[in-house]
Amino acid sequence: MTAPNIRPFRAEIPQAALDDLNARLAQTRWPAALSGDDWDYGVPVTYLRELAEHWRTGYDWRAHEARLNSFPQYITGIDGSDVHFLHVTSPEPDAVPLIMTHGWPGSVFEFLDVIGPLTDPRAHGGDPADAFHVVVPSIPGFGFSGPTTQGRWDHRRVARAWAELMRRLGYDSYGAQGGDFGSGISRELGIIAPDNVIGIHLNSSPTFPDGDPSTLDDLDRERLAGWARHQAETSGYVAVQATRPQTLAYALTDSPVGQLATPSAWPRPVRSHPWAAQETPTTVRLVVATSQPDSCLRLTPRSLGVRAVDLSSAWRCITTVVPAGRAVTL
């Protein structure tokens, strides 16, 4: 790392902040459980109480912090915000630089399991020709990037920051990968830096058909129906974040259980996944400990460019000229 404005970083959440979090969890005022206590009205009380108790008594932040610190981390200032990032170089001389971007609510922890196979595929039974130099930044306002004090951070501004970050690291040609917000940021990076970005890979990318939906095959009609169900039943958080993020920020900043309930409200296949008991508290603890729920929320309205739950008008207009691949869940 040669750039003078890039400095090494280690995660060290003060113990006082962790003690305060545990005290807040222990003093949570719980709402009464509804009859049946199912998911029809949101996160059930019994589910969240169990997850919160695990978070308070069975979860070891220091172990996760130590794992994060086993990777090289840095901080640099870009466009008025600190940008925290992991930079892990490959032992392979012809490795391709790759910048990977998390989503909301998310963090660099999402990528820790893949950094080894990506940077050193030879050691993981892969082809060394598939090696990457991996850069994993925290979006401004997330984790150790920030908090932001300006409300105008959106996908485009983050993408411009990523282009500057890669320039500072000496990478003139690189790929980009992302999901959720990371998907939009990676697409924008391909738009603003087409001479540098050699390709993008997205594992979350809402797309909408033009023309008559009756021309779609059965699988695509099922997907479109799934999107309609999401719009009708599980997209309420988008409406709030896209219209009044600061109002919501007071509750989430003051209540760690409130923050914990947000990712827990995801669809059942996600919340029932084995990693939910570890990854959800890790991401939420990072948000709470760095006091950035408000910064995370502010990215939504600016990035969507709309004040409505219907996201199709926001996503449809985004195009890129660089090669793009997309992971599709069947």
Side-chain angles (χ1 to χ4, degrees):
M1 197 67 59
T2 59
N5 52 354
I6 294 177
R7 59 190 187 275
F9 176 84
R10 280 181 59 84
E12 295 177 327
I13 299 295
Q15 186 59 45
L18 301 182
D19 293 341
D20 175 73
L21 173 57
N22 285 338
R24 287 170 179 263
L25 289 171
Q27 296 168 11
T28 299
R29 297 176 62 186
W30 294 96
L34 295 173
S35 176
D37 203 24
D38 57 24
W39 293 83
D40 288 346
Y41 287 86
V43 183
V45 174
T46 52
Y47 175 91
L48 198 60
R49 290 193 79 142
E50 290 177 4
L51 187 57
E53 185 62 16
H54 162 73
W55 194 17
R56 188 177 72 87
T57 63
Y59 172 84
D60 184 0
W61 162 258
R62 292 302 184 197
H64 291 269
E65 186 178 65
R67 188 183 181 209
L68 179 63
N69 286 332
S70 69
F71 296 93
Q73 300 172 80
Y74 305 90
I75 289 277
T76 189
I78 301 178
D79 196 12
S81 175
D82 280 343
V83 173
H84 161 259
F85 64 98
L86 284 65
H87 183 203
V88 185
T89 57
S90 172
E92 304 297 339
D94 297 324
V96 176
L98 175 66
I99 184 166
M100 307 180 73
T101 309
H102 63 83
W104 180 94
S107 72
V108 297
F109 279 95
E110 297 174 15
F111 300 105
L112 298 190
D113 286 342
V114 301
I115 290 176
L118 288 173
T119 57
D120 194 2
R122 186 195 305 268
H124 293 80
D127 187 343
D130 296 331
F132 295 91
H133 301 305
V134 174
V135 179
V136 184
S138 299
I139 297 172
F142 289 68
F144 298 108
S145 289
T148 57
T149 56
Q150 301 174 356
R152 295 186 178 271
W153 279 97
D154 60 11
H155 289 169
R156 299 160 189 79
R157 187 172 177 181
V158 177
R160 290 193 294 268
W162 281 190
E164 171 60 19
L165 174 61
M166 296 303 273
R167 186 196 68 79
R168 292 185 187 181
L169 295 175
Y171 294 136
D172 297 323
S173 178
Y174 50 87
Q177 195 282 332
D180 192 74
F181 275 169
S183 172
I185 293 166
S186 297
R187 286 196 306 271
E188 285 294 335
L189 186 55
I191 293 170
I192 68 173
D195 295 332
N196 305 103
V197 178
I198 59 176
I200 61 176
H201 175 270
L202 313 174
N203 57 279
S204 169
S205 177
T207 55
F208 302 89
D210 292 322
D212 186 358
S214 66
T215 62
L216 300 175
D217 61 25
D218 290 342
L219 181 57
D220 281 337
R221 279 198 293 271
E222 183 180 341
R223 289 170 175 157
L224 195 59
W227 177 259
R229 287 193 298 273
H230 167 66
Q231 295 286 81
E233 300 175 10
T234 59
S235 65
Y237 71 95
V238 181
V240 177
Q241 290 177 208
T243 56
R244 294 295 183 270
Q246 190 63 29
T247 301
L248 182 60
Y250 299 109
L252 297 189
T253 301
D254 186 63
S255 172
V257 164
Q259 184 70 50
L260 184 64
T262 304
S264 298
W266 289 342
R268 189 178 305 275
V270 176
R271 60 182 179 250
S272 62
H273 196 280
W275 53 247
Q278 290 299 322
E279 297 306 321
T280 298
T282 298
T283 294
V284 175
R285 182 163 292 220
L286 186 59
V287 171
V288 173
T290 54
S291 300
Q292 299 203 74
D294 54 335
S295 295
C296 297
L297 294 171
R298 283 196 295 266
L299 189 64
T300 304
R302 292 296 174 181
S303 293
L304 296 182
V306 292
R307 294 282 183 170
V309 182
D310 182 5
L311 308 186
S312 57
S313 61
W315 290 93
R316 183 181 293 139
C317 63
I318 301 175
T319 59
T320 181
V321 298
V322 304
R326 178 185 177 197
V328 177
T329 301
L330 299 179

